Amino acid sequence: MFAEGGCGGAGSGAGAGPGGLNHLSFDPASNGKSLQFGCAAGPRVSESPAENGSDPGKKRKRANVPPDGGRNLNLDSVPMGLPMSDPTAWTTAMNNLGMAPMGMTGQPLLPDFDPALGMMTGIPPINPMMPGLGIVPPPIPPDMPAVKEIIHCKSCTLFPPNPHLPPPATRERPPGCKTVFVGGLPENGTEQIIMEVFEQCGEVIAIRKSKKNFCHIRFAEEFMVDKALYLSGYRIRLGSSTDKKDTGRLHVDFAQARDDLYEWECKQRMLAREERHRRRLEEERFRPPSPPPVVHYSDHECSVVAEKLKDDTKFLEAIQTLLTWIERGEVNRRTANNFYSMIQSANSHIRRLVNEKAAHEKEMEEAKEKFKLALSGILVQFEQIVAVYHSASKQKAWDHFTKAQRKNINVWCKQAEEIRNIHNDELMGIRREEEMEMSDEEIEDPPEMKETEESALVSQVEALKEENDSLRWQLDAYRNEVELLKQEQGKASRDEDTTKEQQMKLLQQALQGMQKHLLKVQDEYKKRETELEKVREDKVKIETLLENLKDQQSIADEEDKERDAIDCPGNESSTSRVCACSQEKECPVEKTLSNSPVKSEREVLLVGIISTFLHVHPFGASIEYICSYLQRLDSKICTAEVEVLMTRLQNTFRQELSGVGASLEKRWKFCGFDGLKMT
């Protein structure tokens, strides 16, 4: 495509400015006509006989040319014959320009075309039917004759190549190519002549001419390179001279330039940045919002969180803040009381949560009951439907139905029975689950006889363990503080040395006291463990005695039954002997039973003293109070020994709980008179 201008040379030079080109005067929609160039003010110019093979006997007519000798293209010329039945040419040309290949009616010629694969990125698809669009004719297949016209410029003339020759070869197009190589220039060609020829293809930024009849031309845009390639193969002649130095054959090809590659890379990086920015915006739009940050601990924030912990609606937010503070290590000696109160407030919500769980369980049970009732009602209706089918199958009514009706009734009856059986199995499964739950609740292992002294000792041991752990943690905290003070001692000034030494002494004294207390607790722990072992041994002995007594009792009962079966009314002497024998055998059992709770004379004395003491105290007394009284008489008496003895004599002493809440206390009372009546 070349610029439109007047027939004169001035029009040719000024009409093709740096802003680009106007149309080539050809219509892609027409077929079978050659592309001719002419002037509005003069006759049309045809090809020379040597070039186009016309009749050599006829003289070639020359147009009346203005004095400057310039000739340009005219819009009134006949369009070039490029049939649209072959879309390959259009596709190649438009792909080189980065345009989506479009047909004459606007439909895409290649449905899978990707504009990003073209040479020019960022150009929207263009329809070739748009007005004002100048497109360089695409490469023409060799089997299709195409005609190129003579191009007249101000200082030179361009003659087209032989149309029967193959198209000129080109190298692979570099990315972002804006520079072309032009070879075959005349020796007398100047930069002005080169500018005059190639500025019609677009804005020329730079021309680098060599002494060896070639140059490099850099354009402003990439599509201008395709227009310059259209001139490849043309023969150039300066003026009307036929000298060899004034003629040449142009060869235009792609050139690889660093500036083009740099600009193309910059453009690709810009597009990549825009794509990353777009993806980042998409990710940020779909990213879930981050949780709000937890505030740092302060007295004001502590009071706010404490108030939130008391509110059921804000409890979850407040408990998360409390957990974060504890994990951050905000707990110290100054804030320990505040944190304890917040933990206590959190603990108060346990009852509420348990009640909520119970309410939800109740709702679930009610829903189960409703479901069971509804299922049983559905099952009753199924039973009635099945009964209807069975009654209809009897001979009294069955003979009146047709064959098709009987078949349908049989099918319906089978379907109803299957569905009824499924629902029945489901209902029975629910009832089995309920029965299993009830049986699990009812059939439990009988509670073992657990001695109260053992449970008391175990609770004491656990309390001692907890106290031991707390003392260890306090020791670790003191040691950490001592190490911090040692590290800060070297950095602080001399004025603070005295105060730090006093703090160190106080901490050391506290540490020594804690160590002594820890040793005492460990000794008590060992003593409790030994006492617990003794109690366990006593328990084992008592269990063995009880088993022996049960065996003896069972043997005696069997013998009594045998004698009763043999007994007859006339045999009085035998009955007296059996009675005597049974009394003799029952005596040692009674003796063993009576002797089993009290093992020694010392325990008998203790029972008498404790009974007297508790008789004086009708409202009962604690085990510590009783032991303090007994230890005045004998310092070797142990609390565990007294408690074990009293628990053995359940008909003589009874343990009761008195008080409410924190004042709950266990008291022992004397119940010997009531026990005497019961025995």
Side-chain angles (χ1 to χ4, degrees):
M1 293 182 294
F2 297 94
E4 174 193 354
C7 291
S12 168
L21 301 177
N22 292 329
H23 311 300
L24 267 182
S25 54
F26 75 94
D27 185 7
S30 63
N31 297 327
K33 295 184 179 181
S34 61
L35 178 63
Q36 297 179 357
F37 298 87
C39 182
R44 294 177 181 172
V45 180
S46 61
E47 292 181 335
S48 62
E51 295 292 332
N52 298 324
S54 60
D55 189 1
K58 296 181 180 180
K59 294 183 180 180
R60 187 178 61 183
K61 295 181 179 180
R62 295 182 62 87
N64 295 327
V65 183
D68 53 6
R71 182 165 302 273
N72 228 340
L73 304 177
N74 188 12
L75 287 174
D76 298 334
S77 59
V78 180
M80 182 180 70
L82 184 63
M84 290 303 295
S85 59
D86 184 9
T88 308
W90 282 109
T91 304
T92 306
M94 298 179 77
N95 189 17
N96 290 336
L97 292 174
M99 307 171 188
M102 306 291 289
M104 298 302 297
T105 58
Q107 77 277 11
L109 294 176
L110 293 179
D112 299 333
F113 177 77
D114 185 4
L117 300 177
M119 289 300 180
M120 289 293 292
T121 57
I123 300 177
I126 301 175
N127 191 340
M129 299 301 295
M130 292 170 60
L133 178 65
I135 301 179
V136 176
I140 302 171
D143 57 346
M144 182 180 294
V147 180
K148 292 185 178 181
E149 296 293 333
I150 298 174
I151 301 174
H152 295 278
C153 298
K154 181 179 180 181
S155 304
C156 62
T157 305
L158 299 175
F159 297 96
N162 189 352
H164 300 290
L165 295 176
T170 57
R171 62 180 294 179
E172 184 180 358
R173 181 167 188 157
C177 179
K178 297 181 183 178
T179 306
V180 295
F181 167 81
V182 182
L185 295 172
E187 293 184 9
N188 295 333
T190 61
E191 289 187 5
Q192 294 179 355
I193 295 173
I194 297 170
M195 177 68 77
E196 180 182 349
V197 173
F198 286 96
E199 71 179 355
Q200 301 179 67
C201 299
E203 182 182 357
V204 177
I205 295 177
I207 297 177
R208 294 188 292 275
K209 187 175 181 302
S210 175
K211 296 179 181 180
K212 296 183 179 180
N213 302 334
F214 69 88
C215 69
H216 290 84
I217 303 173
R218 190 164 190 263
F219 293 98
E221 299 294 338
E222 293 184 29
F223 68 90
M224 300 175 184
V225 174
D226 296 314
K227 296 181 181 181
L229 288 176
Y230 182 73
L231 301 177
S232 182
Y234 271 80
R235 289 185 296 108
I236 182 171
R237 186 177 68 185
L238 304 181
S240 59
S241 174
T242 58
D243 191 5
K244 187 177 181 180
K245 294 184 178 181
D246 294 334
T247 60
R249 184 180 293 275
L250 298 179
H251 174 68
V252 186
D253 197 357
F254 299 110
Q256 190 169 4
R258 287 177 293 180
D259 295 340
D260 298 344
L261 183 61
Y262 175 73
E263 289 183 1
W264 182 78
E265 290 176 351
C266 291
K267 187 176 181 180
Q268 296 298 319
R269 284 195 291 270
M270 182 186 68
L271 294 174
R273 283 195 299 272
E274 291 177 356
E275 181 66 19
R276 287 196 300 271
H277 180 66
R278 184 184 64 79
R279 290 181 181 177
R280 193 179 301 112
L281 291 178
E282 290 291 332
E283 290 176 359
E284 290 178 356
R285 189 176 67 177
F286 292 108
R287 184 181 301 157
S290 58
V294 179
V295 297
H296 291 279
Y297 177 82
S298 63
D299 293 337
H300 173 68
E301 295 294 337
C302 178
S303 61
V304 172
V305 172
E307 291 297 328
K308 287 183 178 180
L309 284 172
K310 297 176 183 178
D311 190 358
D312 295 345
T313 58
K314 301 178 180 178
F315 173 73
L316 189 60
E317 178 185 356
I319 197 69
Q320 186 66 31
T321 305
L322 177 60
L323 177 62
T324 305
W325 284 349
I326 294 173
E327 290 178 350
R328 284 179 182 174
E330 301 287 351
V331 182
N332 51 38
R333 281 196 289 180
R334 185 177 66 83
T335 61
N337 293 330
N338 295 333
F339 275 97
Y340 179 77
S341 62
M342 287 189 288
I343 292 169
Q344 191 175 9
S345 299
N347 185 49
S348 64
H349 285 270
I350 293 175
R351 184 177 297 174
R352 175 181 64 83
L353 296 174
V354 171
N355 293 334
E356 289 181 0
K357 181 187 175 185
H360 288 304
E361 287 179 351
K362 186 177 179 181
E363 291 177 359
M364 186 176 68
E365 293 295 331
E366 292 176 355
K368 281 184 180 179
E369 289 295 329
K370 289 181 181 178
F371 175 71
K372 190 170 67 174
L373 291 174
L375 193 60
S376 60
I378 292 169
L379 189 60
V380 169
Q381 295 177 17
F382 271 117
E383 292 288 348
Q384 293 175 355
I385 293 170
V386 172
V388 169
Y389 289 143
H390 285 303
S391 62
S393 300
K394 292 180 181 179
Q395 190 173 5
K396 184 186 292 184
W398 190 253
D399 294 337
H400 299 284
F401 294 117
T402 63
K403 189 174 182 180
Q405 291 173 349
R406 293 176 185 176
K407 186 177 180 181
N408 290 334
I409 291 171
N410 285 328
V411 172
W412 295 339
C413 183
K414 290 179 181 178
Q415 291 178 355
E417 287 179 350
E418 289 177 359
I419 298 172
R420 181 199 61 183
N421 294 333
I422 292 170
H423 284 75
N424 194 9
D425 293 340
E426 187 175 357
L427 184 61
M428 293 302 295
I430 294 171
R431 289 177 179 173
R432 277 196 219 99
E433 290 178 359
E434 291 179 353
E435 290 175 359
M436 289 174 66
E437 291 177 359
M438 294 294 292
S439 63
D440 290 339
E441 293 176 359
E442 293 175 357
I443 303 172
E444 293 179 351
D445 295 335
E448 298 180 356
M449 298 296 292
K450 295 183 179 180
E451 302 294 340
T452 55
E453 69 273 13
E454 183 179 358
S455 61
L457 288 173
V458 169
S459 62
Q460 290 178 4
V461 169
E462 290 178 355
L464 289 173
K465 284 182 180 179
E466 292 178 357
E467 188 176 358
N468 190 6
D469 293 336
S470 64
L471 290 173
R472 285 180 184 174
W473 295 336
Q474 290 179 8
L475 282 173
D476 293 336
Y478 283 128
R479 285 172 185 168
N480 293 332
E481 291 182 3
V482 169
E483 289 176 0
L484 290 173
L485 289 172
K486 285 181 180 179
Q487 292 176 0
E488 293 176 356
Q489 187 175 4
K491 299 179 182 178
S493 60
R494 295 178 181 179
D495 298 333
E496 298 177 355
D497 289 344
T498 56
T499 58
K500 287 187 177 180
E501 287 177 359
Q502 291 177 359
Q503 290 179 357
M504 289 286 291
K505 288 179 181 179
L506 291 173
L507 289 172
Q508 287 176 357
Q509 290 176 0
L511 187 62
Q512 291 175 358
M514 295 296 292
Q515 287 177 351
K516 291 178 181 178
H517 188 60
L518 181 61
L519 292 173
K520 291 180 180 179
V521 169
Q522 289 178 352
D523 294 337
E524 291 181 0
Y525 179 67
K526 291 179 181 178
K527 291 179 181 179
R528 297 292 183 185
E529 283 185 346
T530 54
E531 291 177 359
L532 184 61
E533 290 178 357
K534 290 180 181 178
V535 170
R536 287 175 180 171
E537 291 176 357
D538 295 340
K539 182 181 177 183
V540 171
K541 292 178 181 178
I542 292 168
E543 288 177 352
T544 54
L545 287 173
L546 288 173
E547 289 178 357
N548 293 331
L549 289 173
K550 288 179 181 179
D551 294 338
Q552 293 175 3
Q553 185 67 29
S554 62
I555 292 167
D557 293 339
E558 290 177 358
E559 291 178 354
D560 291 339
K561 289 179 181 179
E562 291 176 356
R563 290 191 183 93
D564 291 337
I566 300 169
D567 190 12
C568 63
N571 198 355
E572 294 178 356
S573 61
S574 62
T575 54
S576 61
R577 291 175 185 176
V578 171
C579 293
C581 293
S582 62
Q583 287 176 0
E584 288 175 359
K585 290 184 178 179
E586 287 175 1
C587 288
V589 176
E590 292 178 356
K591 290 178 181 178
T592 54
L593 288 172
S594 62
N595 294 331
S596 61
V598 181
K599 297 180 179 179
S600 62
E601 186 178 1
R602 183 171 180 272
E603 290 182 354
V604 173
L605 292 173
L606 286 175
V607 170
I609 295 168
I610 294 168
S611 301
T612 307
F613 180 80
L614 291 177
H615 187 65
V616 178
H617 296 81
F619 296 102
S622 63
I623 189 67
E624 289 82 7
Y625 187 22
I626 296 170
C627 290
S628 64
Y629 176 76
L630 293 174
Q631 284 175 357
R632 292 179 184 176
L633 303 175
D634 187 5
S635 59
K636 296 180 181 179
I637 294 174
C638 180
T639 306
E641 181 183 0
V642 175
E643 192 172 5
V644 169
L645 179 61
M646 294 176 71
T647 52
R648 268 190 260 154
L649 301 171
Q650 296 181 358
N651 294 328
T652 307
F653 305 104
R654 182 174 65 251
Q655 188 180 21
E656 294 181 354
L657 296 175
S658 62
V660 178
S663 62
L664 194 65
E665 186 181 7
K666 295 180 179 179
R667 290 178 175 271
W668 288 90
K669 291 185 178 181
F670 177 75
C671 62
F673 299 111
D674 298 333
L676 184 61
K677 295 177 182 179
M678 292 172 62
T679 56

